[in-house]
Amino acid sequence: GWRGRALEYVVDAFLAVLPRGTFTVRMQPPVEVPRPLDHVARCEALRISPLASRRADIALDFRNGRTVVLDVGTSDVVSATALHSKSASAHLEGIEDLKSWTYDGYYREFHPLVLSLAGGMGERSWRVLKRVARLAAELSGPYLGWEPGYWAVQMLHHIGAGMARVLAWDMTR
């Protein structure tokens, strides 16, 4: 479906833009740490079994041993649900907060990455792209100070183009 296609474009953006050899990608990484104390309460609130597997979407394993885990969310910021929010940004932030509540405590470093189907993202998700770019830069050897920011912009452009393809695919099927 379109969600899987959106996820593919996010991974493609990382692979196309960031320096080769600085990281590898794993899909649906297993939980890294023991379950948090409120695991059962979280599962009950989400109406899922506490025995169910809890997995985020992407793990970026950097060469220095650091792993950044991401769960990608997408939203149409002009949907009926989004229009009930104060703003498109508030809507995306709400989804980020839910993803954080769902996955924080299961991974050492977890970040939500929430995208609008128009190709944009909120400030928190933008900071995630910049963080990933900085981590890759630290491992890439000599780099210019402006390069990580440029890579983050390039990843955003790749993701935005991917979201346009997702919408086109969804509209024409």
Side-chain angles (χ1 to χ4, degrees):
W2 62 268
R3 187 184 181 292
R5 289 182 184 270
L7 190 59
E8 289 173 20
Y9 289 121
V10 170
V11 171
D12 287 348
F14 292 138
L15 294 173
V17 173
L18 297 175
R20 292 176 192 252
T22 57
F23 70 99
T24 57
V25 177
R26 284 183 295 133
M27 302 304 285
Q28 294 191 327
V31 171
E32 296 176 333
V33 295
R35 290 181 176 165
L37 296 175
D38 65 344
H39 171 74
V40 173
R42 288 188 200 193
C43 291
E44 287 173 357
L46 294 170
R47 298 182 192 168
I48 60 173
S49 168
L51 302 175
S53 179
R54 177 78 49 107
R55 291 179 181 245
D57 291 326
I58 303 169
L60 301 174
D61 296 314
F62 288 89
R63 195 176 64 219
N64 63 359
R66 172 170 264 143
T67 297
V68 175
V69 177
L70 307 171
D71 195 67
V72 177
T74 55
S75 180
D76 182 356
V77 294
V78 294
S79 68
T81 305
L83 293 175
H84 287 298
S85 296
K86 288 189 276 186
S87 65
S89 180
H91 175 68
L92 295 175
E93 288 169 7
I95 297 169
E96 289 170 341
D97 290 344
L98 178 61
K99 287 192 171 294
S100 287
W101 182 79
T102 302
Y103 291 105
D104 276 347
Y106 294 90
Y107 298 99
R108 284 184 214 52
E109 185 174 351
F110 171 79
H111 301 283
L113 185 65
V114 178
L115 314 166
S116 83
L117 290 178
M121 63 180 56
E123 185 62 33
R124 186 172 172 190
S125 292
W126 171 240
R127 284 193 306 266
V128 170
L129 288 186
K130 292 189 294 186
R131 171 143 179 75
V132 166
R134 275 194 310 276
L135 289 170
E138 291 169 6
L139 298 170
S140 69
Y143 66 93
L144 300 172
W146 56 266
E147 286 181 299
Y150 176 76
W151 297 339
V153 169
Q154 291 301 306
M155 286 187 286
L156 178 60
H157 288 190
H158 271 75
I159 292 167
M163 293 301 103
R165 288 185 203 111
V166 166
L167 282 176
W169 176 81
D170 191 45
M171 299 292 199
T172 58
R173 62 182 182 106

